[in-house]
Amino acid sequence: MPSTFHSIETAKRSLYTQTAALNTTGHNIANANTEGYTRQTVKMRASIPMEAYGINRSNVPGQLGTGVEFDAIERIREKFLDSQYRGENTELGSWTIRSNTLDKLQQIMNEPSDTGIRKVLDNFYKSWSDLSKDPESVTARTIVKENALALTDAMNHMSKQLSNLSADLTSNVEAKSSELQSYVNSIADLNQSITKIEGLGDNANDLRDQRDLIVDKISKIVNVTVTDTDQGYNVNMGGQALVTGFAPTTGINGAFLQAAFASNDLQGGEVHGMIISRDQFVADYTAQMDNLANTLANGDISVTLPKGSVLPEGTVLNGVTYTGTSRTLQSDLTVTVKGLNGLHQLGYTQENKDANGNMVAGKPFFVASNNGGTITAGNITLNTAIADNPNAIAASLRVTGTAPTEELVKGNNTLASLMSNLKLNNFTSVSTGNTATIDSFFSSMVGQLGIEAQEATRQTQNSTALVSQVETMRQSVSGVSLDEEMSNMIKFQHAYSAAARFMTTFDQLLDKLINSTGVVGR
């Protein structure tokens, strides 16, 4: 015969189990909008059955059920989706930074527009054309000077913006390294806490959620792989350990991440995008702008000097030194000169004669502001002698007489015309040896930037779609559905009520048995 109180125990177990299920449902509902929260469920199972109590084995067929119990409260989570999400999130982090950097570079280039480098170059060439129409005009010379200053200022400003962008990316790498160090320390602490709790037989579900959320955040900063061990997560960045059980890697800074990038351990994430953006994109366009400035000033160009031109005393062209009467060209002469500077030094200014009675030849038009260094976009400037005195601009290639009675042919515009036509001349790049017009060099740079920005935008959009897709799949498994939880709540509530009713019924039966049996006729 079974125990009199057996059913009371069965009802009690049911009440405890349904209470746990209701509490867990409430916990899920409360955290429906909590970032990183994983839906939890109570693992119910039929408790171990037993034979009916008695001196001898019961003849009743089957075993007597003892009700329900739960052995764990578990998270509903799929590791494969976690790994997939982190891989796609790493790609998204890298491409997002690259796309943002290229967008900033496009804003710095500011092309096509009416205020960019191309427009300033056009104004510079046009001012030379205007000077060729009236080479003695002080106003026209001043306009050439001002347009030259505008051109150098535009290049200086663009170079400064590129330098600032590079410095900003470097500081962001340092900021991300501090954030990464904080996350790594937190994972090591959580590993220790989770191990202690689960060593007592419980599941540390909420702490595991916090740890997984931190790993998700790390995956956007750098590429990570995760291994679950007896001491918690081991987190690696390529071959570089970030967390090993309870021990976090210390000393994570910009140099640490730069070294990881160099060793190919750092292959994705925001930091990867920052280093790529700084060392490839920004550095490349800085070098191209520097080359553009130096090529304009000193790149080889081929020009044809017309018959009758008089070269400055001691000029060397094509290996020939021109002096005395040989200075006057007897026929057209095609020569190669060192950029705008070289061409400008073949002409004559409106300044007073030199000590030997010769007309003053043109000086280098553009110079480096750091006193004779290589010309770059950051240091290119108008020669101070020209900036202080527009008459130092050379526009003529003709003089009459010989020293000391040599005189400038007033109104000659030969050099000014050659200068204005440089817009159409091919320059040989100082750094690459390629040949094209200055406009073509700049157009090539802008075109390259446009294509790279377009590709980065496409990759970012693709990565965003993939991350969203995987996250949707992950949420379908791990996310909290309020409709489902409300349905579960009603189900568990009815189960609890039924168990309570079952207990009440047996309480009444026991009352009848204990208080009413054997009292008839008293």
Side-chain angles (χ1 to χ4, degrees):
M1 179 176 179
S3 167
T4 304
F5 296 97
H6 173 77
S7 294
I8 294 290
E9 179 65 23
T10 299
K12 184 191 75 171
R13 288 177 178 173
S14 178
L15 289 175
Y16 285 166
T17 301
Q18 302 309 324
T19 298
L22 280 169
N23 287 336
T24 302
T25 299
H27 186 51
N28 287 340
I29 292 171
N31 288 281
N33 296 315
T34 300
E35 182 185 14
Y37 180 78
T38 302
R39 178 168 61 94
Q40 298 178 16
T41 184
V42 175
K43 304 300 292 183
M44 300 182 190
R45 62 180 177 85
S47 56
I48 299 174
M50 64 180 185
E51 266 194 332
Y53 296 112
I55 296 176
N56 298 315
R57 188 180 187 281
S58 171
N59 292 323
V60 176
Q63 290 182 309
L64 183 63
T66 58
V68 66
E69 62 184 8
F70 66 97
D71 54 6
I73 299 176
E74 296 181 347
R75 301 187 306 159
I76 307 301
R77 198 165 183 115
E78 193 170 328
K79 290 184 178 179
F80 171 73
L81 292 177
D82 285 339
S83 177
Q84 207 172 25
Y85 173 84
R86 289 161 188 162
E88 298 299 342
N89 201 33
T90 296
E91 288 297 310
L92 176 60
S94 180
W95 281 112
T96 298
I97 295 296
R98 284 188 258 185
S99 180
N100 290 341
T101 301
L102 288 165
D103 285 344
K104 291 176 182 177
L105 286 170
Q106 285 185 309
Q107 293 172 9
I108 291 172
M109 292 295 177
N110 195 26
E111 294 289 347
S113 72
D114 293 331
T115 57
I117 292 287
R118 195 194 308 273
K119 181 64 175 178
V120 180
L121 273 168
D122 287 343
N123 290 339
F124 176 67
Y125 291 130
K126 184 177 181 298
S127 66
W128 278 105
S129 178
D130 292 340
L131 178 61
S132 70
K133 297 172 185 176
D134 188 4
E136 295 183 84
S137 171
V138 176
T139 300
R141 289 171 175 273
T142 301
I143 291 174
V144 170
K145 181 196 79 171
E146 292 301 328
N147 278 295
L149 289 172
L151 176 59
T152 57
D153 285 346
M155 289 186 171
N156 295 162
H157 181 63
M158 185 177 292
S159 179
K160 183 178 180 181
Q161 287 179 303
L162 291 171
S163 178
N164 289 342
L165 180 55
S166 179
D168 183 53
L169 288 167
T170 298
S171 65
N172 285 342
V173 170
E174 289 291 344
K176 285 297 177 182
S177 68
S178 298
E179 186 178 353
L180 179 59
Q181 182 70 75
S182 174
Y183 287 152
V184 164
N185 293 342
S186 296
I187 289 177
D189 290 341
L190 285 168
N191 279 344
Q192 194 165 15
S193 298
I194 290 168
T195 301
K196 287 180 179 179
I197 291 172
E198 294 188 348
L200 300 175
D202 296 325
N203 289 332
N205 294 325
D206 295 320
L207 293 182
R208 281 183 172 269
D209 283 347
Q210 292 178 32
R211 186 174 63 182
D212 282 329
L213 178 59
I214 292 174
V215 174
D216 287 349
K217 290 181 177 180
I218 289 178
S219 72
K220 194 165 188 179
I221 299 174
V222 297
N223 53 290
V224 291
T225 54
V226 178
T227 305
D228 200 354
T229 70
D230 292 340
Q231 289 191 326
Y233 280 177
N234 288 345
V235 182
N236 294 303
M237 176 180 62
Q240 175 67 54
L242 297 179
V243 182
T244 304
F246 307 153
T249 295
T250 58
I252 297 177
N253 53 27
F256 174 90
L257 295 174
Q258 185 69 50
F261 178 83
S263 65
N264 210 32
D265 288 325
L266 176 58
Q267 298 179 342
E270 292 175 330
V271 175
H272 178 264
M274 290 171 187
I275 295 175
I276 289 283
S277 296
R278 182 193 63 194
D279 295 349
Q280 292 186 19
F281 297 149
V282 179
D284 179 41
Y285 290 108
T286 299
Q288 289 193 57
M289 280 303 301
D290 289 344
N291 178 55
L292 182 74
N294 199 16
T295 298
L296 174 64
N298 299 312
D300 287 348
I301 52 174
S302 179
V303 294
T304 300
L305 305 178
K307 176 183 176 181
S309 298
V310 181
L311 300 176
E313 179 67 31
T315 298
V316 179
L317 293 173
N318 296 345
V320 178
T321 301
Y322 292 85
T323 182
T325 58
S326 68
R327 293 166 53 200
T328 303
L329 302 181
Q330 302 303 313
S331 61
D332 290 351
L333 178 65
T334 300
V335 296
T336 299
V337 296
K338 294 295 184 181
L340 192 145
N341 281 352
L343 182 58
H344 189 256
Q345 292 178 81
L346 296 182
Y348 300 97
T349 72
Q350 294 194 144
E351 296 177 296
N352 295 327
K353 299 178 184 180
D354 62 19
N356 296 321
N358 293 311
M359 295 305 302
V360 178
K363 301 173 179 63
F365 198 81
F366 293 119
V367 295
S369 58
N370 54 352
N371 298 322
T374 301
I375 290 178
T376 66
N379 66 26
I380 188 172
T381 186
L382 181 62
N383 193 318
T384 304
I386 298 173
D388 293 341
N389 179 17
N391 283 329
I393 295 175
S396 172
L397 275 176
R398 296 289 183 92
V399 295
T400 59
T402 58
T405 60
E406 189 174 78
E407 295 292 339
L408 182 71
V409 176
K410 296 182 178 180
N412 180 264
N413 68 349
T414 306
L415 185 62
S417 296
L418 290 173
M419 285 288 192
S420 66
N421 289 330
L422 287 182
K423 178 179 175 64
L424 305 176
N425 273 59
N426 285 332
F427 286 70
T428 299
S429 168
V430 173
S431 62
T432 67
N434 296 331
T435 300
T437 65
I438 292 297
D439 279 354
S440 294
F441 281 127
F442 188 68
S443 295
S444 173
M445 190 185 343
V446 173
Q448 176 189 339
L449 177 57
I451 292 171
E452 288 179 340
Q454 186 179 35
E455 174 63 11
T457 299
R458 184 185 70 81
Q459 292 282 13
T460 301
Q461 290 172 345
N462 289 346
S463 294
T464 300
L466 288 171
V467 168
S468 178
Q469 181 183 33
V470 176
E471 177 62 11
T472 299
M473 295 171 62
R474 192 162 71 156
Q475 286 300 316
S476 70
V477 174
S478 302
V480 175
S481 168
L482 291 177
D483 291 339
E484 182 180 355
E485 296 302 327
M486 292 298 290
S487 175
N488 286 338
M489 184 169 63
I490 294 171
K491 179 174 67 176
F492 297 142
Q493 179 187 11
H494 283 312
Y496 184 92
S497 298
R501 183 60 186 165
F502 174 62
M503 178 173 282
T504 300
T505 299
F506 255 87
D507 180 62
Q508 291 173 350
L509 290 175
L510 290 174
D511 178 65
K512 188 69 175 176
L513 176 66
I514 294 171
N515 296 317
S516 300
T517 302
V519 297
V520 178
R522 286 185 183 181

Tab-separated table of all heavy atoms in Angstrom, residues 208-254:
chain	number	residue	atom	x	y	z
A	208	ARG	N	27.222	34.350	-17.407
A	208	ARG	CA	27.628	33.875	-18.738
A	208	ARG	C	27.128	34.830	-19.831
A	208	ARG	O	27.813	35.058	-20.828
A	208	ARG	CB	27.086	32.465	-18.990
A	208	ARG	CG	27.906	31.377	-18.309
A	208	ARG	CD	27.383	29.987	-18.631
A	208	ARG	NE	28.286	28.953	-18.131
A	208	ARG	CZ	29.280	28.415	-18.830
A	208	ARG	NH1	29.500	28.828	-20.063
A	208	ARG	NH2	30.055	27.486	-18.322
A	209	ASP	N	25.930	35.363	-19.633
A	209	ASP	CA	25.420	36.349	-20.592
A	209	ASP	C	26.326	37.574	-20.643
A	209	ASP	O	26.634	38.091	-21.725
A	209	ASP	CB	24.004	36.785	-20.206
A	209	ASP	CG	22.954	35.740	-20.566
A	209	ASP	OD1	23.294	34.805	-21.320
A	209	ASP	OD2	21.813	35.854	-20.090
A	210	GLN	N	26.727	38.039	-19.466
A	210	GLN	CA	27.625	39.203	-19.424
A	210	GLN	C	28.939	38.903	-20.142
A	210	GLN	O	29.457	39.730	-20.895
A	210	GLN	CB	27.909	39.583	-17.968
A	210	GLN	CG	26.709	40.136	-17.221
A	210	GLN	CD	27.043	40.456	-15.775
A	210	GLN	OE1	28.175	40.834	-15.449
A	210	GLN	NE2	26.075	40.301	-14.879
A	211	ARG	N	29.467	37.717	-19.931
A	211	ARG	CA	30.731	37.347	-20.562
A	211	ARG	C	30.584	37.253	-22.082
A	211	ARG	O	31.448	37.737	-22.831
A	211	ARG	CB	31.224	36.017	-19.979
A	211	ARG	CG	32.603	35.608	-20.461
A	211	ARG	CD	33.089	34.362	-19.749
A	211	ARG	NE	32.242	33.214	-20.035
A	211	ARG	CZ	32.423	32.008	-19.509
A	211	ARG	NH1	33.422	31.814	-18.653
A	211	ARG	NH2	31.623	31.005	-19.801
A	212	ASP	N	29.514	36.635	-22.536
A	212	ASP	CA	29.304	36.518	-23.983
A	212	ASP	C	29.096	37.887	-24.633
A	212	ASP	O	29.544	38.128	-25.762
A	212	ASP	CB	28.099	35.622	-24.272
A	212	ASP	CG	28.434	34.143	-24.117
A	212	ASP	OD1	29.592	33.777	-24.374
A	212	ASP	OD2	27.549	33.365	-23.726
A	213	LEU	N	28.415	38.781	-23.921
A	213	LEU	CA	28.207	40.128	-24.453
A	213	LEU	C	29.541	40.864	-24.608
A	213	LEU	O	29.775	41.557	-25.608
A	213	LEU	CB	27.276	40.915	-23.531
A	213	LEU	CG	27.004	42.369	-23.940
A	213	LEU	CD1	26.371	42.447	-25.326
A	213	LEU	CD2	26.118	43.063	-22.894
A	214	ILE	N	30.418	40.690	-23.622
A	214	ILE	CA	31.735	41.338	-23.708
A	214	ILE	C	32.539	40.769	-24.873
A	214	ILE	O	33.194	41.514	-25.609
A	214	ILE	CB	32.496	41.174	-22.380
A	214	ILE	CG1	31.812	41.983	-21.272
A	214	ILE	CG2	33.946	41.627	-22.528
A	214	ILE	CD1	32.402	41.778	-19.902
A	215	VAL	N	32.464	39.455	-25.075
A	215	VAL	CA	33.173	38.857	-26.210
A	215	VAL	C	32.619	39.399	-27.527
A	215	VAL	O	33.370	39.672	-28.470
A	215	VAL	CB	33.078	37.322	-26.166
A	215	VAL	CG1	33.700	36.712	-27.425
A	215	VAL	CG2	33.778	36.766	-24.935
A	216	ASP	N	31.295	39.572	-27.596
A	216	ASP	CA	30.688	40.166	-28.794
A	216	ASP	C	31.257	41.560	-29.051
A	216	ASP	O	31.543	41.926	-30.199
A	216	ASP	CB	29.170	40.257	-28.635
A	216	ASP	CG	28.483	38.895	-28.731
A	216	ASP	OD1	29.161	37.927	-29.134
A	216	ASP	OD2	27.290	38.809	-28.395
A	217	LYS	N	31.397	42.340	-27.989
A	217	LYS	CA	31.925	43.699	-28.144
A	217	LYS	C	33.394	43.671	-28.562
A	217	LYS	O	33.826	44.486	-29.387
A	217	LYS	CB	31.746	44.474	-26.834
A	217	LYS	CG	30.290	44.796	-26.524
A	217	LYS	CD	30.141	45.599	-25.235
A	217	LYS	CE	28.677	45.980	-24.989
A	217	LYS	NZ	28.519	46.765	-23.744
A	218	ILE	N	34.141	42.742	-28.002
A	218	ILE	CA	35.548	42.614	-28.396
A	218	ILE	C	35.646	42.256	-29.875
A	218	ILE	O	36.535	42.741	-30.585
A	218	ILE	CB	36.257	41.554	-27.535
A	218	ILE	CG1	36.445	42.070	-26.101
A	218	ILE	CG2	37.613	41.179	-28.132
A	218	ILE	CD1	37.090	41.066	-25.172
A	219	SER	N	34.720	41.407	-30.356
A	219	SER	CA	34.785	40.957	-31.748
A	219	SER	C	34.640	42.101	-32.733
A	219	SER	O	35.053	41.976	-33.892
A	219	SER	CB	33.699	39.905	-32.023
A	219	SER	OG	32.402	40.488	-32.054
A	220	LYS	N	34.063	43.207	-32.307
A	220	LYS	CA	33.981	44.361	-33.199
A	220	LYS	C	35.275	45.173	-33.163
A	220	LYS	O	35.575	45.912	-34.100
A	220	LYS	CB	32.797	45.260	-32.823
A	220	LYS	CG	32.469	46.280	-33.901
A	220	LYS	CD	31.113	46.909	-33.711
A	220	LYS	CE	30.747	47.777	-34.913
A	220	LYS	NZ	29.423	48.394	-34.789
A	221	ILE	N	36.034	45.033	-32.103
A	221	ILE	CA	37.295	45.776	-31.968
A	221	ILE	C	38.436	45.026	-32.639
A	221	ILE	O	39.214	45.605	-33.400
A	221	ILE	CB	37.610	46.020	-30.480
A	221	ILE	CG1	36.493	46.846	-29.826
A	221	ILE	CG2	38.946	46.737	-30.327
A	221	ILE	CD1	36.654	47.019	-28.337
A	222	VAL	N	38.539	43.712	-32.349
A	222	VAL	CA	39.592	42.877	-32.956
A	222	VAL	C	38.994	41.514	-33.261
A	222	VAL	O	37.943	41.145	-32.741
A	222	VAL	CB	40.817	42.719	-32.017
A	222	VAL	CG1	41.485	44.049	-31.750
A	222	VAL	CG2	40.408	42.047	-30.697
A	223	ASN	N	39.668	40.748	-34.090
A	223	ASN	CA	39.231	39.377	-34.361
A	223	ASN	C	39.530	38.497	-33.151
A	223	ASN	O	40.594	38.599	-32.545
A	223	ASN	CB	39.945	38.828	-35.601
A	223	ASN	CG	41.456	38.968	-35.520
A	223	ASN	OD1	41.979	40.072	-35.599
A	223	ASN	ND2	42.159	37.846	-35.360
A	224	VAL	N	38.577	37.640	-32.790
A	224	VAL	CA	38.758	36.771	-31.613
A	224	VAL	C	38.296	35.349	-31.912
A	224	VAL	O	37.418	35.130	-32.738
A	224	VAL	CB	37.981	37.292	-30.385
A	224	VAL	CG1	38.575	38.565	-29.849
A	224	VAL	CG2	36.500	37.462	-30.693
A	225	THR	N	38.901	34.422	-31.229
A	225	THR	CA	38.417	33.046	-31.172
A	225	THR	C	38.280	32.688	-29.693
A	225	THR	O	39.085	33.122	-28.866
A	225	THR	CB	39.390	32.060	-31.856
A	225	THR	OG1	40.702	32.218	-31.290
A	225	THR	CG2	39.456	32.329	-33.350
A	226	VAL	N	37.250	31.899	-29.387
A	226	VAL	CA	36.930	31.592	-27.995
A	226	VAL	C	36.929	30.082	-27.781
A	226	VAL	O	36.350	29.337	-28.578
A	226	VAL	CB	35.548	32.170	-27.606
A	226	VAL	CG1	35.204	31.800	-26.169
A	226	VAL	CG2	35.540	33.681	-27.778
A	227	THR	N	37.581	29.653	-26.716
A	227	THR	CA	37.578	28.248	-26.322
A	227	THR	C	37.072	28.158	-24.889
A	227	THR	O	37.602	28.827	-23.999
A	227	THR	CB	38.992	27.637	-26.403
A	227	THR	OG1	39.522	27.845	-27.724
A	227	THR	CG2	38.955	26.156	-26.106
A	228	ASP	N	36.047	27.321	-24.672
A	228	ASP	CA	35.474	27.164	-23.333
A	228	ASP	C	36.211	26.048	-22.610
A	228	ASP	O	36.264	24.909	-23.079
A	228	ASP	CB	33.983	26.834	-23.446
A	228	ASP	CG	33.236	27.125	-22.150
A	228	ASP	OD1	33.900	27.474	-21.156
A	228	ASP	OD2	31.995	27.022	-22.141
A	229	THR	N	36.814	26.372	-21.477
A	229	THR	CA	37.598	25.406	-20.704
A	229	THR	C	37.042	25.286	-19.289
A	229	THR	O	36.069	25.965	-18.923
A	229	THR	CB	39.077	25.836	-20.638
A	229	THR	OG1	39.182	27.013	-19.808
A	229	THR	CG2	39.618	26.143	-22.026
A	230	ASP	N	37.684	24.444	-18.489
A	230	ASP	CA	37.262	24.273	-17.093
A	230	ASP	C	37.427	25.559	-16.292
A	230	ASP	O	36.758	25.749	-15.275
A	230	ASP	CB	38.074	23.156	-16.423
A	230	ASP	CG	37.747	21.784	-17.004
A	230	ASP	OD1	36.666	21.661	-17.616
A	230	ASP	OD2	38.578	20.868	-16.881
A	231	GLN	N	38.333	26.432	-16.733
A	231	GLN	CA	38.544	27.700	-16.041
A	231	GLN	C	37.904	28.871	-16.786
A	231	GLN	O	38.277	30.028	-16.566
A	231	GLN	CB	40.042	27.966	-15.866
A	231	GLN	CG	40.707	27.045	-14.850
A	231	GLN	CD	42.110	27.506	-14.516
A	231	GLN	OE1	42.822	28.045	-15.359
A	231	GLN	NE2	42.506	27.309	-13.256
A	232	GLY	N	36.938	28.582	-17.633
A	232	GLY	CA	36.232	29.642	-18.347
A	232	GLY	C	36.746	29.828	-19.759
A	232	GLY	O	37.395	28.943	-20.329
A	233	TYR	N	36.481	30.996	-20.307
A	233	TYR	CA	36.849	31.269	-21.699
A	233	TYR	C	38.343	31.573	-21.835
A	233	TYR	O	38.895	32.364	-21.068
A	233	TYR	CB	36.077	32.478	-22.223
A	233	TYR	CG	34.651	32.191	-22.641
A	233	TYR	CD1	33.824	33.227	-23.073
A	233	TYR	CD2	34.120	30.907	-22.631
A	233	TYR	CE1	32.514	32.989	-23.471
A	233	TYR	CE2	32.819	30.658	-23.012
A	233	TYR	CZ	32.021	31.699	-23.426
A	233	TYR	OH	30.725	31.473	-23.818
A	234	ASN	N	38.956	30.941	-22.827
A	234	ASN	CA	40.253	31.393	-23.321
A	234	ASN	C	39.987	32.185	-24.598
A	234	ASN	O	39.401	31.655	-25.538
A	234	ASN	CB	41.180	30.209	-23.628
A	234	ASN	CG	41.680	29.529	-22.372
A	234	ASN	OD1	41.585	30.076	-21.273
A	234	ASN	ND2	42.213	28.329	-22.510
A	235	VAL	N	40.394	33.434	-24.621
A	235	VAL	CA	40.135	34.312	-25.754
A	235	VAL	C	41.455	34.647	-26.438
A	235	VAL	O	42.407	35.085	-25.784
A	235	VAL	CB	39.442	35.618	-25.295
A	235	VAL	CG1	39.138	36.515	-26.494
A	235	VAL	CG2	38.154	35.299	-24.542
A	236	ASN	N	41.501	34.404	-27.742
A	236	ASN	CA	42.725	34.657	-28.510
A	236	ASN	C	42.454	35.600	-29.673
A	236	ASN	O	41.361	35.596	-30.256
A	236	ASN	CB	43.304	33.354	-29.062
A	236	ASN	CG	43.782	32.426	-27.975
A	236	ASN	OD1	44.615	32.793	-27.158
A	236	ASN	ND2	43.248	31.222	-27.948
A	237	MET	N	43.451	36.398	-30.005
A	237	MET	CA	43.431	37.242	-31.201
A	237	MET	C	44.478	36.674	-32.146
A	237	MET	O	45.675	36.936	-31.997
A	237	MET	CB	43.755	38.699	-30.839
A	237	MET	CG	43.860	39.641	-32.021
A	237	MET	SD	44.230	41.344	-31.505
A	237	MET	CE	45.844	41.132	-30.729
A	238	GLY	N	44.041	35.853	-33.100
A	238	GLY	CA	45.001	35.128	-33.920
A	238	GLY	C	45.810	34.202	-33.025
A	238	GLY	O	45.263	33.370	-32.299
A	239	GLY	N	47.134	34.316	-33.056
A	239	GLY	CA	47.981	33.513	-32.182
A	239	GLY	C	48.317	34.194	-30.876
A	239	GLY	O	49.092	33.663	-30.076
A	240	GLN	N	47.723	35.361	-30.637
A	240	GLN	CA	48.009	36.144	-29.430
A	240	GLN	C	46.910	35.920	-28.387
A	240	GLN	O	45.742	36.202	-28.635
A	240	GLN	CB	48.092	37.627	-29.785
A	240	GLN	CG	48.265	38.553	-28.601
A	240	GLN	CD	49.601	38.385	-27.920
A	240	GLN	OE1	50.633	38.478	-28.557
A	240	GLN	NE2	49.583	38.120	-26.631
A	241	ALA	N	47.284	35.407	-27.215
A	241	ALA	CA	46.315	35.182	-26.140
A	241	ALA	C	45.906	36.509	-25.517
A	241	ALA	O	46.758	37.347	-25.216
A	241	ALA	CB	46.908	34.264	-25.082
A	242	LEU	N	44.606	36.686	-25.333
A	242	LEU	CA	44.087	37.858	-24.626
A	242	LEU	C	43.645	37.496	-23.212
A	242	LEU	O	43.857	38.255	-22.268
A	242	LEU	CB	42.920	38.471	-25.401
A	242	LEU	CG	43.230	39.026	-26.796
A	242	LEU	CD1	41.963	39.582	-27.444
A	242	LEU	CD2	44.302	40.108	-26.719
A	243	VAL	N	42.992	36.327	-23.087
A	243	VAL	CA	42.578	35.831	-21.766
A	243	VAL	C	42.876	34.338	-21.723
A	243	VAL	O	42.518	33.601	-22.648
A	243	VAL	CB	41.074	36.057	-21.518
A	243	VAL	CG1	40.699	35.565	-20.123
A	243	VAL	CG2	40.694	37.514	-21.682
A	244	THR	N	43.508	33.911	-20.657
A	244	THR	CA	43.734	32.479	-20.424
A	244	THR	C	43.194	32.152	-19.038
A	244	THR	O	43.838	32.430	-18.030
A	244	THR	CB	45.225	32.121	-20.516
A	244	THR	OG1	45.733	32.534	-21.779
A	244	THR	CG2	45.425	30.625	-20.345
A	245	GLY	N	41.991	31.596	-18.999
A	245	GLY	CA	41.369	31.287	-17.722
A	245	GLY	C	41.165	32.524	-16.874
A	245	GLY	O	40.467	33.453	-17.263
A	246	PHE	N	41.795	32.533	-15.706
A	246	PHE	CA	41.636	33.657	-14.786
A	246	PHE	C	42.674	34.758	-15.038
A	246	PHE	O	42.673	35.774	-14.349
A	246	PHE	CB	41.781	33.180	-13.331
A	246	PHE	CG	40.882	32.035	-12.960
A	246	PHE	CD1	41.240	31.136	-11.954
A	246	PHE	CD2	39.683	31.846	-13.630
A	246	PHE	CE1	40.407	30.077	-11.609
A	246	PHE	CE2	38.845	30.783	-13.290
A	246	PHE	CZ	39.211	29.896	-12.280
A	247	ALA	N	43.563	34.557	-16.015
A	247	ALA	CA	44.682	35.491	-16.229
A	247	ALA	C	44.477	36.317	-17.500
A	247	ALA	O	44.509	35.770	-18.604
A	247	ALA	CB	45.998	34.727	-16.314
A	248	PRO	N	44.267	37.630	-17.364
A	248	PRO	CA	44.162	38.481	-18.554
A	248	PRO	C	45.548	38.912	-19.026
A	248	PRO	O	46.491	39.011	-18.240
A	248	PRO	CB	43.376	39.688	-18.025
A	248	PRO	CG	43.789	39.794	-16.593
A	248	PRO	CD	44.022	38.378	-16.119
A	249	THR	N	45.680	39.154	-20.321
A	249	THR	CA	46.914	39.738	-20.848
A	249	THR	C	46.954	41.211	-20.461
A	249	THR	O	45.974	41.932	-20.626
A	249	THR	CB	46.964	39.603	-22.382
A	249	THR	OG1	47.025	38.214	-22.709
A	249	THR	CG2	48.172	40.314	-22.959
A	250	THR	N	48.072	41.658	-19.942
A	250	THR	CA	48.216	43.062	-19.543
A	250	THR	C	49.070	43.809	-20.572
A	250	THR	O	49.694	43.202	-21.440
A	250	THR	CB	48.869	43.165	-18.160
A	250	THR	OG1	50.146	42.508	-18.189
A	250	THR	CG2	47.990	42.494	-17.103
A	251	GLY	N	49.081	45.115	-20.450
A	251	GLY	CA	49.922	45.922	-21.330
A	251	GLY	C	49.372	46.073	-22.729
A	251	GLY	O	50.124	46.292	-23.684
A	252	ILE	N	48.054	45.945	-22.888
A	252	ILE	CA	47.452	46.142	-24.208
A	252	ILE	C	47.393	47.642	-24.497
A	252	ILE	O	46.705	48.392	-23.803
A	252	ILE	CB	46.043	45.531	-24.275
A	252	ILE	CG1	46.108	44.016	-24.069
A	252	ILE	CG2	45.374	45.846	-25.605
A	252	ILE	CD1	44.760	43.328	-24.041
A	253	ASN	N	48.141	48.076	-25.490
A	253	ASN	CA	48.155	49.486	-25.885
A	253	ASN	C	48.313	49.583	-27.399
A	253	ASN	O	48.251	48.577	-28.104
A	253	ASN	CB	49.280	50.238	-25.163
A	253	ASN	CG	50.637	49.557	-25.333
A	253	ASN	OD1	50.871	48.864	-26.318
A	253	ASN	ND2	51.525	49.759	-24.375
A	254	GLY	N	48.520	50.794	-27.886
A	254	GLY	CA	48.637	50.987	-29.320
A	254	GLY	C	49.791	50.212	-29.915
A	254	GLY	O	49.670	49.608	-30.993
